[in-house]
Amino acid sequence: MGPNYRRIDTLRDLLSNYTDSEEKVLYIDRHIPNLIALAPQTDLVDTVAYRNGLIILQDKASCFPAYMLNPNLEEGPCLDACAAPGNKTTQLTAIIQNSNTLGKHGKIWACERDFSRSETLRRMVAIAGADQFVAIKAGQDFLGLDPTKSPWNQVAFLLLDPSCSGSGIVGRDNTEVVTLPRDESSTPTPSKKRKRKRNGTNVPAKSIDEQLSLSPQREQSKVATRLTALAAFQSKLLKHAFAFPRASKITYSTCSIHAEENELVVAEVMESMAAQRGQWRLLRRHEQIAEMRDWHIRGKADYFSQAMTGRSSNSKENADACLRCEKGTEDGTQGFFVAAFVKSTDANGAINACDETMNALVSFEAIDGNEETDYEEWEGLSET
């Protein structure tokens, strides 16, 4: 059994509230600030620090997208496009506060199209003390946002962690739950789903039956069909993110081990008209924040070689720009994938505003006709 990762506001908070036991064993992570690993049997839900939102249960890999994005709100607001349950949203606020980059645009927009999950998001944000920085758009589908209209035309950073197969989740044969500190003013609704026995409010995850399963009982043709549908949906979200005219950086992540949702999605969108109009490219490894640059598992070049033939077809460079995490290794992470996109600049270092605006107009027109997707989205957790 691997370590249990916990994200904290400060080490001082943890050390003063962690436990009353004589033996206090923890590992301070070297890649993510304020992330610590504890022994697998450690349960913090009864601690004062956890109840006060100073400790947040979060897998190490799922901390990578927000840290890779590293937004500076002096440049413009940040948008978490698929925000529930809220771990990455609250991590974004911690990053911004710790770096003192709130600026005049000190706001993070958090969209969640499902109303029940929006309530989970609201509680998570409140418990973490981030509600003064986060504006939640409950019931808002990211694809329904018009990038050409205020306030979305001012967004500078986007975090995109869409629904995926969940194939990288450790212990995914069991129903996953998000455990929040108990709200004494409310009575939890009974659920027929299996729950972890903890002294907190367990929020059921999306049905595990809707996740992709590679068990012998499932036909491989169904697996391929499922991955194709997921990839099409994920690609559509990324192209929509490219349409935000003032956006300068986007992170894309999944808790999937499948190239169809990872390298192949990245390859497809990089050769799309949406990327070319907006002059989007991958954030190269040497440009990444030091801890992400030093991560030892990168993307798989073979998939880029198979899928890309155009202007951005340097397979080794593209793969090196992507991060992968593998479950069941000494890293103690779930299976995960992260890539970041930035805009190219012209010879004077200025972004081509004309192409940006055209990209936004064309992309939104493509989805502004009450278009219905034939993809039945999995409502499972994208972060653990």
Side-chain angles (χ1 to χ4, degrees), residues 36-300:
I36 56 98
L38 305 174
Q41 67 273 17
T42 306
D43 193 343
L44 298 175
V45 297
D46 288 326
T47 63
V48 174
Y50 178 76
R51 292 197 299 269
N52 290 341
L54 300 177
I55 299 175
I56 295 173
L57 281 61
Q58 186 169 354
D59 182 84
K60 174 176 177 172
S62 76
C63 295
F64 282 16
Y67 195 52
M68 178 83 93
L69 187 63
N70 195 29
N72 180 350
L73 296 197
E74 293 177 355
E75 300 177 21
C78 181
L79 172 60
D80 189 346
C82 311
N87 283 348
K88 295 179 183 68
T89 311
T90 57
Q91 185 189 0
L92 284 170
T93 64
I95 290 171
I96 291 165
Q97 287 180 281
N98 291 338
S99 61
N100 296 314
T101 59
L102 283 170
K104 64 179 181 179
H105 302 288
K107 178 177 290 187
I108 296 171
W109 295 99
C111 292
E112 174 51 52
R113 75 177 203 170
D114 182 82
F115 280 102
S116 62
R117 284 171 58 80
S118 296
E119 178 59 20
T120 301
L121 171 64
R122 183 198 65 77
R123 288 195 56 212
M124 174 71 80
V125 168
I127 290 167
D131 41 2
Q132 61 179 313
F133 305 110
V134 177
I136 296 174
K137 298 291 289 183
Q140 176 63 61
D141 189 338
F142 172 63
L143 289 173
L145 299 180
D146 184 345
T148 67
K149 295 182 179 178
S150 180
W152 316 119
N153 59 1
Q154 300 299 310
V155 168
F157 301 91
L158 291 96
L159 189 149
L160 184 60
D161 185 65
S163 294
C164 68
S165 66
S167 54
I169 297 175
V170 176
R172 59 180 302 280
D173 291 334
N174 298 319
T175 300
E176 296 289 328
V177 295
V178 175
T179 304
L180 302 177
R182 184 181 300 279
D183 184 352
E184 300 297 341
S185 64
S186 63
T187 301
T189 302
S191 173
K192 296 180 181 180
K193 297 182 183 291
R194 293 169 57 190
K195 299 180 180 180
R196 295 174 184 165
K197 296 180 179 179
R198 288 180 171 173
N199 294 326
T201 301
N202 291 325
V203 181
K206 303 166 183 179
S207 173
I208 212 71
D209 294 332
E210 297 178 44
Q211 295 186 37
L212 177 67
S213 174
L214 294 180
S215 65
Q217 291 74 29
R218 297 292 297 272
E219 298 178 8
Q220 290 303 308
S221 61
K222 293 182 179 179
V223 172
T225 299
R226 180 66 171 156
L227 288 175
T228 299
L230 281 163
F233 177 73
Q234 293 152 352
S235 175
K236 184 176 181 179
L237 290 177
L238 254 177
K239 291 173 185 176
H240 188 55
F242 288 162
F244 285 70
R246 291 198 60 184
S248 60
K249 194 174 184 181
I250 300 167
T251 56
Y252 169 75
S253 58
T254 73
C255 53
S256 170
I257 63 173
H258 299 297
E260 288 88 343
E261 301 176 86
N262 299 330
E263 288 92 348
L264 295 182
V265 166
V266 170
E268 195 271 325
V269 299
M270 286 307 299
E271 294 201 321
S272 69
M273 288 300 296
Q276 293 178 36
R277 285 196 184 96
Q279 299 183 337
W280 287 97
R281 65 170 176 82
L282 282 169
L283 179 69
R284 303 181 183 98
R285 183 172 185 174
H286 72 270
E287 299 171 320
Q288 296 169 8
I289 194 166
E291 292 81 359
M292 299 292 92
R293 183 176 65 239
D294 294 341
W295 182 250
H296 61 110
I297 309 175
R298 314 305 292 191
K300 299 180 179 180

Side-chain angles (χ1 to χ4, degrees), residues 328-345:
T329 69
E330 62 182 10
D331 293 320
T333 66
Q334 64 182 12
F336 211 81
F337 176 87
V338 187
F341 301 86
V342 292
K343 281 183 175 173
S344 301
T345 56

